[in-house]
Amino acid sequence: MQTLGQTAHFNIQYDETLLGSDGNPNAISRAQRVLGVCEPEFGLLASWYKITDGFGPDNRITVQIIADFAAGGASNNGYKGSNTVIKIGNQTANANVIAAGQSSCMSFVAELVEVFASYRNQHGNGAWNASKSDGEGLSLLCAREQFGTGYSLFFGTPWVNSWLQSSRDTQWINASENTDKNPLSFGLSLLFLYYLKSQLNHSIPDIIAAGGDSLAQTYQNLTGKNDATAAFSQLINKYFRPGSTPQLATENPFPLLEGLRRDVKLSLDSEPEGKPFRVNEGLALTSPFFTCPKDLYKWFVDSAPKKVTCVATVRGFGLPIYRWRINGVDLNPPAQLGQPNVQGSITVQATVTTDHAAQPSTSVLQDILVNYGVGEDDFSSSLVFDLPGVVGHVDLSVEASASERFASSHVSWAAQSITIDNETLYWEPRYYVDRERCMKPFLDVAARYVRSDPFFSLVKTLPDPPQEYTRVIRELTQASAQIGTLAQHAPDQARELRYAMSSALGIAPTVLEELGKANIRSAAVPHGVQENFNDEKGPQSV
């Protein structure tokens, strides 16, 4: 056994004879990882247990990375002063050095927690005995909280499923089982401890300090109530119906909430799918910046189709059932719990804006085909879709809703707007050189009088602001026009809506009103004529 290093509280050792699948020693890498975290973890966990003595240079804990053993991933001999030993299995066959290191740190925390419990047991506090089910539950909770990735990689299926998939014997809430080897009892303990932490909002240090001779006593010490089993069972059985609950992907399904306290979060991301291809090109007489003289420049429009990935997650749900909509159209068929790969297509109406070098971008409401795949994984839901054959900038609204499988029919939802940029307009290099040359004098003057980053950010995009900017204006313009239509039939309600929207956006109601009028005018009046030169046809009016 080789000694890697010594710290204020630890001797870190490893078995140099253990060889990985590549024939090289690998225990040293696990030991190095533990050496790097041992002192910070000692400081934190000692504060949780309120331990201020019993450990130090005269009674260091020896941590050994040894051959894997059948009893589990790690063990300890309790608190023995300077003879305290923590043994951690090397995971010799694990070729992933990072994963093995994370799992080694997780095991280290689990065993150190039990050593601290042993120290307190020997000094008059009998709570959290490591040889009982509640002590094992606390050890696992602390390990998972500190090194969650290593915990998941090492254990795989969460322990709470052992109890949830059983007949759900709750006797170990009122009397801890005198073993740390029964997944039913320590799985229940782990679930109950997360109930205290994430449902009832008690910190881990407070839970440790309130420890009694049973989980029920700990609950009473924290809450002042004596209904631990009833309150816990009623909540769990409501959201996770006995006999009908699938394997959970987490040890901590809390908090379980009702109504508006629940949350759906939505993230959207688009990425290119396939190689760009040319859809148009030509010559245009234009100005690269509003202070530049006009000149002839070559322009190009390329299409680069995008794949969009949307991920919905929830807070406050037990077994969420997700539903998706794109531009108000439900996916058909929808995803179902336990069906990871549901595919289909829908047709939606969307505003598609196309780029043109010599005139403002044109926006048209049209039907587009959406091909999608959607399913559920680890109680989140992912939607992946593309827009085959669509060239342009497509405005979409994606909505994800969630409801409980058992507990209630209340629906929570989240929506986000996104512009899918399936095309790009760009110019020959000379255009950008001239643009920078013209822009600099203007910005130099403006900087003397204007102190607004948004101002300069927008100015620097002219004459081609990003579609994300223009989409917001398009949406506000369309919404304002609809308010104008409503005003013709229900003027009081339209006025209230206009004031509510303007207040929420921080703009004057008259601005919304003018945007709506501009939408009507733009629909009635054609774009002004500008000069465009096409390679084949010469000068062209558009």
Side-chain angles (χ1 to χ4, degrees):
M1 192 70 66
Q2 295 291 314
T3 296
L4 176 66
Q6 188 178 82
T7 70
H9 299 96
F10 299 96
N11 292 310
I12 308 298
Q13 301 177 347
Y14 65 97
D15 185 345
E16 75 279 12
T17 67
L18 300 177
L19 304 179
S21 57
D22 59 359
N24 295 315
N26 58 10
I28 186 172
S29 67
R30 283 59 157 159
Q32 288 169 334
R33 188 75 170 89
V34 172
L35 179 63
V37 305
C38 62
E39 286 298 332
E41 293 303 320
F42 180 94
L44 178 67
L45 297 173
S47 71
W48 286 1
Y49 275 85
K50 295 182 171 57
I51 289 176
T52 58
D53 55 12
F55 301 86
D58 295 330
N59 45 14
R60 289 184 175 92
I61 301 172
T62 297
V63 181
Q64 298 177 334
I65 308 298
I66 65 170
D68 300 320
F69 50 100
S75 67
N76 68 84
N77 64 342
Y79 178 72
K80 297 291 190 299
S82 61
N83 295 315
T84 303
V85 179
I86 291 175
K87 296 183 178 182
I88 301 173
N90 184 50
Q91 306 168 67
T92 304
N94 190 345
N96 188 326
V97 175
I98 294 176
Q102 291 172 325
S103 296
S104 296
C105 293
M106 178 277 299
S107 295
F108 165 76
V109 168
E111 301 308 314
L112 183 58
V113 165
E114 296 187 357
V115 169
F116 282 162
S118 174
Y119 175 83
R120 294 210 321 173
N121 295 160
Q122 295 174 35
H123 289 78
N125 188 326
W128 309 118
N129 188 313
S131 64
K132 294 185 178 182
S133 57
D134 62 338
E136 180 69 8
L138 181 62
S139 169
L140 290 170
L141 180 139
C142 294
R144 182 178 182 270
E145 289 299 300
Q146 293 307 103
F147 293 96
T149 300
Y151 183 101
S152 298
L153 290 172
F154 188 81
F155 289 120
T157 303
W159 290 111
V160 299
N161 288 301
S162 300
W163 183 78
L164 286 170
Q165 300 296 319
S166 71
S167 60
R168 300 188 179 180
D169 190 341
T170 58
Q171 63 173 309
W172 302 301
I173 294 176
N174 293 300
S176 299
E177 189 174 20
N178 288 318
T179 178
D180 60 353
K181 301 295 191 294
N182 183 1
L184 292 178
S185 59
F186 72 70
L188 167 61
S189 297
L190 181 56
L191 186 62
F192 191 90
L193 288 170
Y194 269 119
Y195 166 70
L196 295 179
K197 177 183 179 293
S198 299
Q199 185 71 30
L200 302 186
N201 297 314
H202 296 289
S203 69
I204 296 177
D206 287 346
I207 292 171
I208 293 173
D213 59 4
S214 67
L215 293 172
Q217 185 61 57
T218 301
Y219 171 90
Q220 186 171 1
N221 293 342
L222 287 168
T223 67
K225 301 176 182 179
N226 60 3
D227 63 341
T229 300
F232 173 77
S233 298
Q234 182 179 7
L235 181 70
I236 288 295
N237 292 339
K238 177 180 179 180
Y239 284 86
F240 306 109
R241 187 174 295 171
S244 301
T245 296
Q247 294 271 339
L248 299 190
T250 178
E251 304 279 22
N252 181 16
F254 304 103
L256 302 172
L257 305 174
E258 294 287 342
L260 296 178
R261 298 176 64 201
R262 299 188 299 195
D263 232 344
V264 178
K265 294 189 182 300
L266 182 59
S267 66
L268 308 181
D269 183 50
S270 64
E271 59 181 344
E273 186 177 43
K275 295 181 179 179
F277 57 92
R278 183 66 43 79
V279 294
N280 204 355
E281 62 181 271
L283 283 171
L285 181 64
T286 189
S287 171
F289 193 67
F290 64 87
T291 60
C292 278
K294 288 186 176 182
D295 202 349
L296 278 174
Y297 299 94
K298 189 157 188 175
W299 55 270
F300 311 90
V301 175
D302 288 354
S303 178
K306 299 292 196 305
K307 176 179 70 175
V308 183
T309 300
C310 315
V311 179
T313 57
V314 294
R315 180 181 181 274
F317 285 82
L319 296 174
I321 299 295
Y322 291 93
R323 294 290 184 270
W324 292 90
R325 305 178 81 191
I326 299 176
N327 281 22
V329 179
D330 292 317
L331 300 192
N332 185 25
Q336 297 290 342
L337 192 67
Q339 296 181 1
N341 294 300
V342 176
Q343 297 182 339
S345 62
I346 55 173
T347 299
V348 305
Q349 280 202 325
T351 299
V352 180
T353 303
T354 53
D355 292 320
H356 200 284
Q359 68 180 44
S361 300
T362 56
S363 300
V364 178
L365 188 65
Q366 67 183 64
D367 289 340
I368 63 170
L369 180 68
V370 180
N371 289 337
Y372 67 85
V374 62
E376 308 203 359
D377 179 28
D378 290 351
F379 294 87
S380 65
S381 183
S382 297
L383 164 67
V384 180
F385 67 86
D386 59 18
L387 313 173
V390 179
V391 176
H393 309 278
V394 186
D395 294 345
L396 295 177
S397 174
V398 179
E399 179 182 331
S401 64
S403 58
E404 279 289 354
R405 186 173 184 181
F406 299 126
S408 72
S409 58
H410 178 84
V411 177
S412 301
W413 60 275
Q416 282 193 32
S417 296
I418 186 173
T419 298
I420 312 302
D421 295 316
N422 277 357
E423 73 171 18
T424 302
L425 167 68
Y426 62 98
W427 301 80
E428 64 175 294
R430 184 171 60 89
Y431 174 94
Y432 298 102
V433 172
D434 292 347
R435 183 171 176 272
E436 289 298 318
R437 174 177 51 79
C438 295
M439 185 188 301
K440 187 178 184 307
F442 172 82
L443 294 179
D444 289 344
V445 173
R448 302 175 195 168
Y449 310 105
V450 179
R451 295 290 184 269
S452 171
D453 289 337
F455 169 82
F456 290 105
S457 296
L458 180 57
V459 167
K460 289 177 181 178
T461 68
L462 298 176
D464 299 306
Q467 286 298 319
E468 284 296 325
Y469 285 28
T470 57
R471 173 178 57 77
V472 173
I473 299 300
R474 288 195 299 272
E475 290 177 348
L476 280 176
T477 300
Q478 293 164 5
S480 300
Q482 295 302 316
I483 293 175
T485 301
L486 177 64
Q488 298 175 13
H489 307 282
D492 293 340
Q493 288 83 349
R495 188 184 312 107
E496 290 176 3
L497 177 58
R498 184 177 290 119
Y499 274 94
M501 186 179 293
S502 61
S503 176
L505 296 171
I507 60 177
T510 52
V511 173
L512 281 179
E513 189 172 2
E514 287 302 314
L515 281 173
K517 293 177 182 178
N519 184 68
I520 296 172
R521 288 195 296 269
S522 65
V525 180
H527 291 295
V529 173
Q530 297 189 38
E531 293 178 83
N532 178 48
F533 290 79
N534 183 278
D535 284 343
E536 290 78 20
K537 299 180 181 179
Q540 182 181 7
S541 293
V542 291

